[in-house]
Amino acid sequence: MEAKSSRIIVFGAGGRVGRAAVAEARRRGHEVTAVGRTDGNVTDPAAVARLAAGHDAAIVAVHDPGARPGEFFPAVGRALAEGLPAAGVKRLVSVGLASVLPTDSGHLLMDTPGYPQEWREFYVGHGAGTEALRAAAPEALDWVVLSPAGDFDHEGEPSGGYMPAPAAAESRITPVDFARALLDEAEAPTLHRTHAGVSAA
């Protein structure tokens, strides 16, 4: 993808990760459409298609605190799977959750001893969104879900790099470094139809 001529749409552009993705995309010379909650319903395939028309890639970092996670995230996955191909968008990079990534042991992070369980409904809903995307996405949509291997570091300084990593509760990455991973995968895909974690390098 040529940096100067690419058009990238960022759904969820008002959040910390979305803002970082918009900033990184613009820094690289992309033409960016920043979509917030009031711009259109990301659970509606027709709205997704309308907003995404004319773009080369989509980055999705959405969350609706007022919706049930088990309903919202799968609805988003299905809407992206239908709406993005209808708009001619071929690449999707979506922001996932470390909780539903496997650790070195093979167990999901949310199932490891001591991991907080009070938000389990959110974890499970997020994972269901990825599975809905996996089930509904046609071959024409090349997608990946990326998440921090552990959590975001909102206070630290960016390291300037990142690396692939299995889920680990202590792993941290700044939104700025994470945005680099998102844009790298949007520009030159290396991961396909999978959920992968990244940590600071």
Side-chain angles (χ1 to χ4, degrees):
M1 211 183 281
E2 292 296 327
K4 294 300 182 184
S5 61
S6 296
R7 297 190 67 202
I8 295 179
I9 184 168
V10 179
F11 291 92
R16 285 180 173 179
V17 175
R19 291 196 303 271
V22 168
E24 179 65 14
R26 287 178 173 155
R27 187 186 70 80
R28 296 184 185 203
H30 295 296
E31 183 180 341
V32 182
T33 301
V35 175
R37 195 170 296 160
T38 60
D39 296 313
N41 182 0
V42 76
T43 64
D44 177 6
V48 169
R50 172 179 58 81
L51 291 163
H55 293 82
D56 301 298
I59 293 173
V60 178
V62 296
H63 167 48
D64 183 351
R68 293 181 63 87
E71 297 171 1
F72 175 73
F73 290 111
V76 170
R78 290 188 292 269
L80 294 171
E82 181 179 340
L84 292 179
V89 176
K90 293 180 169 54
R91 181 59 169 171
L92 163 63
V93 184
S94 187
V95 178
L97 203 64
S99 311
V100 292
L101 268 178
T103 63
D104 273 332
S105 70
H107 295 102
L108 300 183
L109 183 58
M110 67 179 180
D111 293 331
T112 56
Y115 197 75
Q117 295 299 307
E118 55 265 41
W119 301 289
R120 192 175 179 91
E121 181 185 4
F122 183 76
Y123 310 154
V124 172
H126 228 298
T130 298
E131 291 313 307
L133 175 63
R134 187 188 306 278
E139 288 299 320
L141 182 62
D142 183 17
W143 62 269
V144 67
V145 176
L146 285 185
S147 70
D151 203 351
F152 287 110
D153 177 1
H154 293 294
E155 307 301 328
E157 290 296 318
S159 70
Y162 66 89
M163 59 185 181
E170 68 279 4
S171 176
R172 295 292 182 271
I173 188 169
T174 67
V176 170
D177 289 325
F178 186 70
R180 292 187 175 99
L182 295 176
L183 267 297
D184 283 351
E185 280 297 324
E187 291 176 347
T190 65
L191 298 167
H192 310 278
R193 304 180 76 86
T194 190
H195 178 188
V198 293
S199 67

